[in-house]
Amino acid sequence: NCFGFDRSATQIFFAVPQPLSRTLLGKNLAALVFIYLEVFILTGVTALFRVNFGLAQLVETLLVIGVCSLYMLAMGNITSVQYPRALNPERVSQGGASSRFQALVFLLYPISLLPVFLAYLARYAFDSELVFYVVLALAAVIGGVVYWIAMDSAVSTAIERREKIIQALSTSDGPITAN
């Protein structure tokens, strides 16, 4: 939910002349920075415990995370405008998603990871690193197209539903009080 912590401050996204697509793209890039930061932290922890891994495994991990992120961010953009939910940073562990949204994510999460699974399946079936990277590259291209289409869909949906989004996100205390 890319708007959850913004809560009622989301009003600014619809009021300023900045295109909403740039706002979503900026939020997605920030999420990607944190995703890769987590990977590097895990790499450091792995190295600290002296688990053997090579540069090739690190590069593969970074590529796979990048491809998975395309699909997950695309899904996140759409669900953020379809199911906006205010989140409280003081109570992150309590969640905030509705059961309908959680069920949707439960179904879509494996589907969004399917292209990367197919790359690993191709590696196993053909016993070839080249085939793995070709299928992964194809998954990345398709992921880019999916992301682009999802971005357009999310922006048009957000514009159509802006009042409902602002209302849903303004139901709790936030940086801006909405009456």
Side-chain angles (χ1 to χ4, degrees), residues 29-68:
L29 289 173
L32 202 56
V33 166
F34 282 102
I35 290 168
Y36 278 115
L37 182 61
E38 289 174 351
V39 170
F40 287 120
I41 289 171
L42 288 174
T43 301
V45 169
T46 303
L48 183 67
F49 288 114
R50 299 179 189 258
V51 175
N52 288 336
F53 66 93
L55 182 61
Q57 287 175 312
L58 179 60
V59 169
E60 177 183 320
T61 300
L62 294 173
L63 291 174
V64 166
I65 293 294
V67 173
C68 288

Side-chain angles (χ1 to χ4, degrees):
N1 184 356
C2 70
F3 298 123
F5 291 120
D6 297 333
R7 295 175 286 186
S8 58
T10 304
Q11 297 171 28
I12 194 72
F13 301 142
F14 297 103
V16 297
Q18 181 74 21
L20 187 59
S21 60
R22 286 191 184 170
T23 301
L24 284 173
L25 181 62
K27 287 179 163 293
N28 290 166
L29 289 173
L32 202 56
V33 166
F34 282 102
I35 290 168
Y36 278 115
L37 182 61
E38 289 174 351
V39 170
F40 287 120
I41 289 171
L42 288 174
T43 301
V45 169
T46 303
L48 183 67
F49 288 114
R50 299 179 189 258
V51 175
N52 288 336
F53 66 93
L55 182 61
Q57 287 175 312
L58 179 60
V59 169
E60 177 183 320
T61 300
L62 294 173
L63 291 174
V64 166
I65 293 294
V67 173
C68 288
S69 295
L70 278 172
Y71 291 95
M72 297 302 293
L73 291 170
M75 182 177 72
N77 288 340
I78 290 174
T79 58
S80 291
V81 298
Q82 290 291 335
Y83 303 100
R85 199 83 155 157
L87 299 174
N88 187 343
E90 297 163 356
R91 291 182 265 159
V92 174
S93 62
Q94 292 180 355
S98 66
S99 59
R100 184 173 51 162
F101 174 71
Q102 289 174 341
L104 178 68
V105 170
F106 183 75
L107 292 173
L108 291 178
Y109 193 77
I111 293 170
S112 68
L113 299 178
L114 186 62
V116 172
F117 172 74
L118 292 175
Y120 281 107
L121 187 63
R123 173 195 273 168
Y124 175 77
F126 294 102
D127 194 26
S128 169
E129 291 296 313
L130 178 63
V131 170
F132 170 76
Y133 285 110
V134 166
V135 173
L136 192 62
L138 181 62
V141 169
I142 293 170
V145 170
V146 166
Y147 180 83
W148 178 54
I149 292 169
M151 177 68 80
D152 285 346
S153 175
V155 168
S156 63
T157 301
I159 290 169
E160 289 172 12
R161 301 187 60 204
R162 67 180 159 248
E163 290 86 13
K164 290 180 182 178
I165 292 171
I166 291 169
Q167 180 63 34
L169 295 172
S170 298
T171 57
S172 66
D173 295 333
I176 296 175
T177 304
N179 294 328

